[in-house]
Amino acid sequence: MIAIRLQALQDATSRKPLSVEFPSAKVSDYYGINVFDKTKMEQYLSKEAYNEVIKAIEQGTKIDRTMAEQIASGMKVWAMERGATHYTHWFHPLTEGTAEKHDAFIEYTRGMGMFENFAGNNLVQQEPDASSFPSGGLRATFEARGYTAWDPSSPAFVMNQTLIIPTIFISYTGESLDYKTPLLKSLAAIDKAAVDVCHFFDKEVNKVIANLGWEQEYFLVDESLYQSRPDLVLTGRTLIGHPSAKDQQLEDQYFAVTPDRVAAFMRDFEIESYKLGIPCKTRHNEVAPNQYEIASIYEEVNLAVDHNMLIMEIMRRVARKHSFRVLFHEKPFAGINGSGKHSNWSLSTNAGVNIFSPNSSSKLNFQFLTFIVNTLKAVYENADLLRASIVSASNEQRLGGHEAPPNIISVFLGEQLGRMLDNIEKTVSGHNITPEEKTELKLDIGRIPHVLLDNTDRNRTSPFAFTGNRFEFRAVGSNTNCASAMIVLNTIVANQLKQFKIDVDRQIKDGIKTEEAIFNTLKKYITKSKAIRFDGDGYSEEWKNEAEKRGLTNITSCPDALKAWISPKSKALLIENGIFSEKEVEARYEISLEKYAKKIQIESRVLGDMAINHIIPTAIKYKNILIEHCKGLKDLYSDEEYKTMASEGLELIKEISKHATEVKRKVKEMGNERIKASKHENFEKKSQAYAKIIKPYLEEIRDHIDRLELITDNSMWPLAKYRELLFIN
Ligand code: ADP
Ligand code: MG
């Protein structure tokens, strides 16, 4: 064991940056080369088939069988030219990753022998044996067949000699078993609701697109050091490890120069991503040592989510080539920053107008304000559901901790925009706006773009911040599929916009002018949702107290937070907007709780094993050395001299014994509690037991082990330490 750590350290420090073959062409020359995008479709499909696909993408129409044959055969020709021998349906089950099952193009008939084929029905639908994906009791084993269906709105691509077809994944009875199905439904809901509201301002709008720009944070660890840590290998985070004497306190990491080894890795995975049409834009060092970020240019939400899942896969693979492991866990190291996936969300119209962008036309500014206020109100009304969409066992470690958004959902607007809303609230009085007030308001609204231009306010402590032309949802975890956050965000805003239209239409029917009806409604919403607005320091203790006074919730435990999925209010919202059936919501809730319990169970087992197999034996070995040392002194010196000479040794022996005994005792207790927890048939009770009983043991045991790490001979310590894991040279 000792040898493993020291050998790993030697390996890690002697590594040189890998030389990467960079294409000599400009990025724009090979960008999207492995994607079956519109240009390639035009080239490889008949005009008829091409038009059919475009219609399916733009209007969600069904593609008929004969057409599917044509499209599949065009796709096959293109894919084989790009070196593909296999094809697969690719989907996002309710785990953290993606799933695929590869089939070769080759087929055999007696007449033709071996030949390559890709039939229309292979493109459109598949039946993976899906019995081992999480289904929350939706798919009993006897009806284990789920099926995948092609999603033409996300283009197929070639990776690893395989034609990959993005699909949805549903059970035979039609329930969604994935993230993409409800995501597409939520996108349709926000499109419809937003178009209806846009018509108050611009009758020409016929489509509203939701956009997502993700910022993916991650840590890198040297492969050998990673292998020396069973906790990293099995849980993705360190369950033990004393903080390094130096970590991020000098603030010398953020935007610092990237080590050559890391830079080579970044460029390598970016090239792979460009070939797959993923628009990587910004890369930099993050705040913690060994922490980095890659951000893409924003895209339509469905595509952006696929691209995010894909880039995580690419990064994992390319990292191995560079002898790194990439850690997407939200909190791989205690005491320093965790990783998030800031999700920048906006809405734009078919005319290319970003609805969240202040505009020089006062009509569009009025639209801008309307959408801002409705988003505020949606978040205010559904803060608990929004939180439920991003919590997990791993994000629970991050939220509310070191430099991470708190568990209290609030919205940052910035001073100027906030003041603007305050003005509306003050000025508009009841149903009669005076002509002066109207002029004033118009002036005010007309000023928005100029006002926001000087808005350099960059509050980084808010979980949900308006950043000039979009909302940035920062509480999303680095490891999660951000579809979950997008599903909820789209749905709550869609629902709110529907309500807004009803409220405005009612007044119009009563003879109030449209503009005035909108003002009145906004004013009412601004007052109602005021509590959610907070521009101050979200990390402070004062905010916790203030939030409580305002009636905002602060739910820190994941199983507690997940309950919001099944509150009558959330259920009604999700069902009425056509996102989930009641069965589906309940299944998702169950899956999330089960996943939580399993994660803590694994962590508890791994920590138990490490404590007993690595830590206690090391403690005993070192103690024996100390005992020998003391015995030796006893032989050499008088009793009087011995007392002083051996005091430090004796004290260490005592201290080691104390911690080792506690570790042993607590591991045993934790094991017994685990048995009890696992016996709960009820998944709510089970996850609560893991959260409230097992999880605290992890902290307590860790504390004793970290103390042992500090007093044990460095050369004997079996596990790579924080200071070794965290600094790549
Ligand atoms: P910061 O670190 O300041 O948050 P980054 O440059 O790291 O900024 O990330 C900004 C992200 O926001 C990028 O993914 C970018 O594409 C995205 N973004 C910019 N404008 C929009 C928009 N209108 N809608 C959605 N996302 C956007
Ligand atoms: Mg950001």
Side-chain angles (χ1 to χ4, degrees), residues 215 293 342 344 458 460 472 474:
E215 302 165 45
E293 175 184 301
H342 294 179
N344 295 270
R458 296 287 280 149
R460 296 205 165 258
E472 183 172 346
R474 301 202 182 109

Side-chain angles (χ1 to χ4, degrees), residues 210-216 254-255 279 281-284 286 293-299 342-348 354-357 458 460 467-472 474:
N211 306 300
L212 164 65
W214 42 258
E215 302 165 45
Q216 178 70 54
Y254 195 54
F255 289 180
K281 173 80 174 163
T282 310
R283 51 163 125 102
H284 60 77
E286 263 303 330
E293 175 184 301
I294 177 77
S296 78
I297 297 174
Y298 70 92
E299 299 174 288
H342 294 179
S343 297
N344 295 270
W345 177 85
S346 70
L347 298 172
S348 53
N354 176 0
I355 296 177
F356 289 122
S357 217
R458 296 287 280 149
R460 296 205 165 258
T467 48
N469 61 357
R470 60 190 187 269
F471 282 96
E472 183 172 346
R474 301 202 182 109

